[in-house]
Each structure stands twice: as C-alpha cells, then as structure tokens.
C-alpha cells in the first residue's frame, strides 16, 4: 500500500515514508520531498507576504478552490507584519544554504540555520505601565473560581470571564509580534527565545490596542527595540554533547543572559491540562453516559462515569481522534487532523457495568452481509416487513434468514429489537462455528509455557528460586471462565542456558524427568505426552520440579545464553500440541552463545543525531522477524521478563514480543530485596489477565472512507487483517482512516471492529464493536468534537513507527509542523478575526500543545548519550501497544499534593500541574506516570507527616533506599496506601516507588517528569513551545 493521506498534488502518488502515512514498510527517506501529514505545494497558507522571502519548503494543505465556506474568515495578509515593512528589517527565513535534505519544513524551533532578529518597531508602553494594565484586566481564565466549561458540549470553551458572560468560541492568548524573537545569530540550533506569554485576551474584547509583551527577551549583539528591557533567560547548566534542533535550552544554547529579572507572566494564564481534566470531572464525573447518539463526544478518559451501551461501543473499547469526520478528503487535507480510532477490544469493564452478551446462532453462525461481510449490528436497516435488511456499511440488500425473521413495529423497528444484543447494543460476542476455526477443527484450550534462564547470574542472584517459589502458588490462579470450576489452561516447563532442558511432569510419574536438547541450531520438542499438563492433575510432580530446579543448577558456572531457540522450542511445543498459548520467558543477558539469533553489543552513541540512528531501533538480525511471523501463524504469544545489568538489545529481543501481542517487562539491575515485589506483582497480574488467543481483527467501514494504517503490538500479513497471537485487556490498536470518496451527513461514518479469537476455555468467538460518527461540511464541527488524548495516542504511535525509517530530526519537525497546521487551519477557517498577536486555540484542542511538547521530550525522540538505548527501545515498544488512558498518563504524569490529604473523605486530592514551581519545600508530592512512581519530600516537610508515613522523627532520618512505605497503623499512612493502590490498580505495569528528598541526587531523575518545565536533556518548556507553535502558525498564515 503506497497511498498517502491528507495531501494532494502529483508528488503524492509515489510511495512515501511518513508519520501517519501508511506504507507498510517505510520507503527510503528520499522518496519524496513531503512526508506524512507534512506540507503540500498547493498551500493555502503560503501566500508570500510582501517583502518577506517565502520559505523554501511548502507549508499548508490544499484549500478547496473557490470561495471559502460560509462563516469562515479570509485573513488579509497585510496585517501580519512585524511593524512597517521597511526594507532591511524584513526577517528572512533562511540565511545561507537551504537545509541539507530539503525535506523538513522550515520550522524555526527545529531548523539549524542561524536567523537574524525579528525587529519590532512598534511603539510600546513602558514595562511598569504594561504590567499594571495586564493586572487591571482581572483575567481569571485559570485562577481559582473559574467556571467549568458547559457540561455536555466539549465544543464550548471554558469560560474565562466568570459566569455572567456568554462563553467565547475559542481561547485566545495574546502573543505580541515581539515574542517571536529568534536566537542570536551564532546559535546553530534555531532555538526559540524564551518569551513569557502574556495573559489571555478575552474574546469579548479588551479596550484599546493589545499591549506588547514586557517580558521580551533582548539578546546580545542586537540593537534593542524601543521600550523593551533585557530579560534573564533561565537556561540552566550548559551541557556538552551534540546539538538538537528543538525549542528550549539545548546544548549550545545561549549562555545565562545578564540583565534584571522582569516580572514573569503567571503560567496560570496558559491552558492547563489539570483544569481541563477537573472541569470534565466536575461536569460529567459520576454520571451515567449512554451511548445512544451517533457522534457524541464521551467524557475524558480521566473522568470516572458509568457507561451504558445503547447502540454504540463504550469509549472503554473505542475512542476517536474526532467524533465528526470532514465530508471530503479536501477538507481532511485542509485541517490535517488525523482521522483515527484507538481500539482496545478486550478493555476491562468495571463491575458496575454490564459484561458483553454472547449470541449463539448454533450451526448457522453469525448473520453477515453477503457483499461486505459486516456482522449483524444496530446499523442494519430492516425493510419489506422485516424479510430483508439493508447493510449500513455497503448498502447491499440482504435476505433475512428464516430463523431470524421478526415483524416490524409502527416505526419500522423489529419487535424483538431490545431482546437481541446484536440489534440494540454497540458491543457483543458471537459464538463462532467451525468455519472460523483453524483447519475447521474446534480449538483446544491454550497453554502457558514457563521458560527460565538458569545461567550463573540468575541462579546466583536468587531469581530462579524466586520464580519457582512464586509459580507454586500462582498456578492455582490461572484464568478461567466465570462458570468453570478450574482453569482449562495447561502448563509446561523449560529451563535453558546454552542448551534447553524440557521436563516431563506427567501425573503418573513419581519424579519429574529432564530431557536435554543440545542441538540448538535445529530445535525439536523431545516429548509430547507429559510436557503440557493440567496443573491440578499433576500438582505433586510440578511442585516437586519447582523445588528441584534451583538445586539442580545451584553449582552452574555457565554464563552464556541462547534466546531465539528458546522461543522456537516453545512455539514448536504449542504447534505439536495443536493449541495456542503464551510463553513466559525470564531472561537476563545478551544472548551471545553460538546459536540462531545470537546478538552482539552494538550500542553505539556515535550514531545519535545521524541518519543511522534509526538502526538502533531495528532488530540487529533478520531471524527475529521470521521467528515472529512463525509465532503469529501458530498462535504463540511471547511474554518477556528481562533482568539486564547492561545493554541487552531490547530492539532485537523485544521484537517477537511486540509482533505477537505479548508484554515486555524490564527490571534494570534487579536486586532481590528491592525489586521482587514489583516483578512478582507484574507476573501475577499477567498470568491472571483475561486474554484472547490466536486472534485476528478486521475493521470495516461504511462507504466513503476506509482503514489504511494500523499501529500496535500486532503483525500484518496483508493490508486488512490485524493478526495477534494473543490480545489482552491492556492492548490497543490505533487505526487511521482515509477518505476514498465523499461522506454524507445523513448516513455518517460507521465503523465495525470484529475480533475472532479463542477464549481461555478453548471456545472460538467473535467480539464485535460498532461505533457511528457524524460527518460535516463545516471544519468547526470537526474541531469541536476532537479528543486531544486520542490525538496524542495517534501521534505518539505514528511517530514511534516512523523512527524506524526516518531521521529523528525529521520526525520531530513533522510533529511540530502538524501541530501548527491543525491550529493554523482552525484560526483561518473557524475563528473570529483578531490581531495576529493572538494565539487562538480551539477549545477541544487547547491542551494539545502541552501534550505534543511532552511527546517531543519523551526519551524515544530525544537523542542524548545519557539516555540508554535500551530504555528508548523499551519505551517505544510499550507506547506502541498502549490505549488512550495509558498514553495520557505516560506523557503527562499525575502529580498529587499528599500533604493536603483530607483524611475524612475518600477523595483523592486534586492533581496539580507538572512544574517545579508547583512544588513547595513544606510539602510532600506523589508523581506517577504508569511506569514510575515518586514520592518527593520537601526539606521542610512537617515532622508529623514524616512520622506518620515513615515512622522516623525527621527529614534527615528518611531512607531513600526503601521502595515501599512501611505498614503503619495511622489514618495518614492508610489513606496514602489506598491512593497508591488506586493509582496502581488502573495501570498495566506495577510502578516501583522511588523516594526522593529535595536537593539530593535522585531529584534529577524526578525532574524529568515535570513536563511543563525545560528538560535537563534540552526539551522546551511549555511556555517556550507555545511561543514556537504560535510563531509557526503566524508564518503559515502570512
């Protein structure tokens, strides 16, 4: 598949690499000048401003020819200049030669060219006067006492001026042209200057002209603009190392600038993710959300509510980037909002919501459309008295099978509508017939094979004994269907170092028997009968084996290991037993023994910031891809628990796990005492997970658009079938859609996701999720129904897929360019006219910039020698499988002030923004992002708080070695423990608690999670990034 979306014009007919493009492999980076959602020659934004040299790279997307749709405003290009257009004062986009590849957009935060100053000649009032003016506006956009946004319509922005005024249609932030100051000419990074944003301007107008920005930063070697005072930039320590093109304090950025500190802007005046989350909780939390309306926007993923399925799938199963699709591909190209759905087909449903009904039509099986094969669902329209039905997806008229016939009532609805889940609900299951089974035979229940690395280090560290002891109790908790007495899952055991040891644990044996396979080049399974057993039947033999394994290898001195043959052996065992299943592999070192899949240490920091950096994320040898393909074909899912103390090549070793729908866990420098609870908790949760095995997913759509690209822990053999050896409750697949014709407002855009899988009891089933979206000819409707959390999930996955084939610099540029494009299109087509210095954000997207900046600062996209390659590959792999709730927390962590716990209520304290200025020396704060959890303690934390939590008298006595809080019998300790359990309970990975004391070394690690601040690795602060995006938007509109 080589189509490319969101873009028109001739260059796009070629196969291209690109974020959000959907070539299955990525073409060479030089296959075209335009990438992904990036750029289009027929740009609606690239009208050249008089006197300003036009950027060498086209921006924008093709606007529909002819007049703009009603209600939009064509901005004149003359009022966008910075002061009068005197020759010699015009900024030029590029000085010197164009960028080397000529592919990336000319995006100032990311380009390496030096740029001259934008001189602002506008007359300005003195600073003091201006600060008073700003203060007198009484803007309470995000301060205490704001009114939450209107309950149900996410289209209306939060109202910023108190309750008495009608809410505006968007949010405005005043950014005078003076804030668009590029860095000094000797700086190759093209850093954004660090202007502070002035407060929001209210849409209902501020008397007089918008005052210019007093916090404009004057850079050395430039003539000062009138009325501007120099301002100190807090650039932090200088760092050696290669330079990155990114706004903010990167190495090579300007040194500390002298000058008096000006009154800084209150960051509360820029959109706050916390405020958005709290407003949604206030208006929609705790309520019943009924899915009875097409295209309605659900509560945010962070809002707790009860979901009632009334014809569309619950947002727990499907969330969309927008709930209103543009009518035509031209509109989609103009807005450049990705049209995508994040599908989590096995998501956990809380106990107070109805589990899925199972429909069984016996021998005939599920009813399907003859033409497009969509399954019977609420979108089918019954006609001719109920004898036939019209498919909602392809409009084909089908006969109703006699057994399924039912009369229609006076409104044309079947009389049994509410009795049949497949007619009245968005999600349900069918029992599949033999036609849906492998080789037309009913499947056997799945099996779990435990494969333990018994090399010297694992035995010596106590890990092997820990695993064996835990399995003795854990095997009683294997998952089972609710109505069953015991689990149907069979279990098997293998140990390995340079060779493989299979164990016969047949129930009739007195002792387990070991069989050694030393030919690891051609792995075979030495026994069938007695390898996979029912744990309840073979309990005594299995317990005996688990007692013996640590003793059996106690004296080993074998330190080399194999890896690929271990997976091969597990897969061959499942294949021979004719069942699907999971391998649980516990492994600790780079597999250097002579065998297929042998790896070498290739961790080369010299590749960072070069075109070869992408190879670090690709597998080192091809054999792992072939192995992954075989595993998927045989329904063999690989769960990998890694315990490295040095480079282990996660990109190669984790590949099979990723393609088979497995989960990767990594415990660096594993210490038995400190890390066992985290590992055992992960292992328990994984074994007990509800999982579908040997699964295949197909996404069908109504006419006019189709699914074109898929991101996740999946394997794709062709362009339509998503194959997963297993899919569990935490795995999500993100699907991108493109137009192939016009859509219609009447019929909307319908999506049906069908997952065919084998249940834990060995039953073949189909799980169906249906959702209907609206369509509109107005861009404003598309923007109004966007969901930022789903957009970030899409952008993260598409970027993390793109880095396998494109330079990271280009991927980062595309993300910034995409953000600017979406917001510029809104400004141009949907916003009411206002001064260019206003940054206008659509209400549903007002926190998109902060999340996008968090994504840009994630360790995967930041090429720094201090960040281990394995860590980047690990995070990349985890995010590719995440659902919306998990990416939301991962990119913008939760920060809770626990010193202000209300012990009388069950409520968790409201979160605060992730910025250092929100911390206080006298406070204690809990930060969690789904992988890590920190308890930060200020130097002046009250002694009674310290006593209550740690049972020690003062700050100095707290040990930062502990990875959990002591069990203490006091209300404060119990309350915090319950909060920890609550946060942990919703997340797939167990978070190890790290205790951080203010002004001590580990604080550096903690600060990386304060995502609104500048990062120590050089990422921009939220304020700087917002300025950068604003500058980019101004460029696009001029």
């Amino acid at each position: 598949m080589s189509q490319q979306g969101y873009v028109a014009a001739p260059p796009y007919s070629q196969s291209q690499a690109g974020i959000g493009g959907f070539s299955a492999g990525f073409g060479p980076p030089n296959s075209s000048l335009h990438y992904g959602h990036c750029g289009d020659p027929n740009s609606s934004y690239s009208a050249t401003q008089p006197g300003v040299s036009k950027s060498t790279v086209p921006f924008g997307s093709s606007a529909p020819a002819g007049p703009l749709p009603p209600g939009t405003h064509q901005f004149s290009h003359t009022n966008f200049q910075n002061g009068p257009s005197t020759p010699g004062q015009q900024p030029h986009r590029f000085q010197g030669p164009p960028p080397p590849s000529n592919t990336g957009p000319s995006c100032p935060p990311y380009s390496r060219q030096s740029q001259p100053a934008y001189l602002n000649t506008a007359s300005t009032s003195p600073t003091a006067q201006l600060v008073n003016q700003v203060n007198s506006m009484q803007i309470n956009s995000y301060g205490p006492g704001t009114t939450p946004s209107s309950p149900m319509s996410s289209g209306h922005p939060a109202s910023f001026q108190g309750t008495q005024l009608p809410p505006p249609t968007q949010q405005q932030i005043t950014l005078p042209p003076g804030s668009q100051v590029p860095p000094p000419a000797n700086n190759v990074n093209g850093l954004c200057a660090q202007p502070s944003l002035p407060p929001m301007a209210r849409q209902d107008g501020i008397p007089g002209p918008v005052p210019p920005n007093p916090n404009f930063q004057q850079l050395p070697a430039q003539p000062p603009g009138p009325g501007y005072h120099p301002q100190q930039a807090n650039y932090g320590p200088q760092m050696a190392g290669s330079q990155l093109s990114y706004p903010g304090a990167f190495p090579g950025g300007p040194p500390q600038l002298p000058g008096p500190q000006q009154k800084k802007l209150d960051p509360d005046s820029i959109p706050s993710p916390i405020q958005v989350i709290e407003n949604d909780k206030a208006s929609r939390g705790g309520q019943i959300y009924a899915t009875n309306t097409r295209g309605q926007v659900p509560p945010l993923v962070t809002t707790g509510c009860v979901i009632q399925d009334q014809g569309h799938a619950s947002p727990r199963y499907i969330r969309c980037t927008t709930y209103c699709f543009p009518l035509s591909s031209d509109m989609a190209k103009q807005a450049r909002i990705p049209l995508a759905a994040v599908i989590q087909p096995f998501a956990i449903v809380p106990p107070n919501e109805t589990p899925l009904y199972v429909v069984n039509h016996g021998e005939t099986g599920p009813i399907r459309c003859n033409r497009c094969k969509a399954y019977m669902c609420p979108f089918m329209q019954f006609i001719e008295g109920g004898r036939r039905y019209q498919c909602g997806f392809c409009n084909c008229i089908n006969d109703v099978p006699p057994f399924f016939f039912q009369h229609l009532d006076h409104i044309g609805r079947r009389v049994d509508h509410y009795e049949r889940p497949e007619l009245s609900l968005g999600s349900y299951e069918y029992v599949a017939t033999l036609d849906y089974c492998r080789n037309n035979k009913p499947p056997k229940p799945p099996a779990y094979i435990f494969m333990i690395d018994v090399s010297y280090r694992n035995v010596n560290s106590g890990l092997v004994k820990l695993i064996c002891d835990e399995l003795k109790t854990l095997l009683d908790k294997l998952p089972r269907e609710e109505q069953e007495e015991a689990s149907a899952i069979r279990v098997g055991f293998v140990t390995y170092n340079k060779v493989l040891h299979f164990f016969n644990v047949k129930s009739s044996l007195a002792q387990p028997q070991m069989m050694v396979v030393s030919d690891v080049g051609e792995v075979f399974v030495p026994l069938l009968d007695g390898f996979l057993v029912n744990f309840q039947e073979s309990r005594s033999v299995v317990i005996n084996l688990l007692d013996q394994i640590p003793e059996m290898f106690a004296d080993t001195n074998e330190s080399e290991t194999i890896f690929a043959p271990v997976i091969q052996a597990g897969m061959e065992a499942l294949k021979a037993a004719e069942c699907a299943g999971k391998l649980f592999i516990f492994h600790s070192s780079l597999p250097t023994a002579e065998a297929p899949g042998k790896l070498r240490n290739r961790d080369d920091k010299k590749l960072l910031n070069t075109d070869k950096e992408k190879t670090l994320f690709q597998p080192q040898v091809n054999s792992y891809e072939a192995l992954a393909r075989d595993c998927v074909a045989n329904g063999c899912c690989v769960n990998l628990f890694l315990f490295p103390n040095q480079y282990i090549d996660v990109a190669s070793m984790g590949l099979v796990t990723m393609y088979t729908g497995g989960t990767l866990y990594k415990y660096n420098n594993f210490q038995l005492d400190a890390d066992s609870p985290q590992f055992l908790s992960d292992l328990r949760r994984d074994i007990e997970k509800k999982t579908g095995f040997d699964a295949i997913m197909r996404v069908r759509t109504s006419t006019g658009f189709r699914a074109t690209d898929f991101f996740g822990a999946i394997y794709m053999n062709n362009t339509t079938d998503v194959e997963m050896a297993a899919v569990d409750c935490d795995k999500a697949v993100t699907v991108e859609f493109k137009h192939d014709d016009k859509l219609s407002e009447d019929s909307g855009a319908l999506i049906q996701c069908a997952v065919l899988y084998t249940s834990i009891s060995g039953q073949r089933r189909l799980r169906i999720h249906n959702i209907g979206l609206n369509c509109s000819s107005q861009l404003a409707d598309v923007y109004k129904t966007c969901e930022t959390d789903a957009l970030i999930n899409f952008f993260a996955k598409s970027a993390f897929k793109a880095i396998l084939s494109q330079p990271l610099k280009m991927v980062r540029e595309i993300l910034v360019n995409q953000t600017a494009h979406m917001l510029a299109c809104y400004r141009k087509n949907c916003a009411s006219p206002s001064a260019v210095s206003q940054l206008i954000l659509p209400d549903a997207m007002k926190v998109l910039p902060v999340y996008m900046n968090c994504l840009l600062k994630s360790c995967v996209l930041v090429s720094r020698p201090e960040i281990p390659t394995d860590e980047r590959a690990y995070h990349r792999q985890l995010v590719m499988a995440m659902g919306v709730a998990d990416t939301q927390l991962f990119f913008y962590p939760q920060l809770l002030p626990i010193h202000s716990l209300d012990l009388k209520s069950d409520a968790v304290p409201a979160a605060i923004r992730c910025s250092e200025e929100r911390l206080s020396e006298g406070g204690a704060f809990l930060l969690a992002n789904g992988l890590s959890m920190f308890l930060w303690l200020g130097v002046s934390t009250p002694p009674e708080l310290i006593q209550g939590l740690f049972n020690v008298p003062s700050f100095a006595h707290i040990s930062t070695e502990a990875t959990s809080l002591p069990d203490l019998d006091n209300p404060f300790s119990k309350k915090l423990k319950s909060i920890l359990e609550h946060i942990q309970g919703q997340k797939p990975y167990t978070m190890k608690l790290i205790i951080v004391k203010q002004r001590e070394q580990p604080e550096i690690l903690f600060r990386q999670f304060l995502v609104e601040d500048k990062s120590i690795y050089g990422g921009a602060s939220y304020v700087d990034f917002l300025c950068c995006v604003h500058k980019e938007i101004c460029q696009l509109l001029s």
Side-chain angles (χ1 to χ4, degrees), residues 805-865:
S805 59
Q806 295 179 49
L808 266 81
K809 179 172 184 279
M810 184 183 296
V811 173
R812 290 192 300 262
E813 280 172 358
I814 289 170
L815 288 171
V816 177
N817 178 260
Q818 179 82 13
T819 309
H821 258 283
M822 295 191 309
L823 298 174
C825 175
Y826 176 80
R827 162 115 199 201
K828 182 176 174 187
N829 299 295
C830 312
S832 41
S834 58
V836 70
S837 59
Q838 302 266 314
L839 171 59
I840 299 180
L841 303 170
D843 191 64
M845 272 190 196
K846 67 182 171 212
V847 290
L848 181 70
V850 68
Y851 280 107
M852 190 61 93
N853 192 36
C854 296
L855 167 58
L856 286 160
K857 290 198 281 194
S858 73
C859 72
V860 182
L861 295 182
V862 171
S863 318
R864 293 287 300 210

Side-chain angles (χ1 to χ4, degrees), residues 226 310 484 492 515 621 785 890 1022:
Q310 294 187 5
E484 288 180 354
M515 298 185 178
V621 288
T785 58
F890 181 74
Y1022 174 23

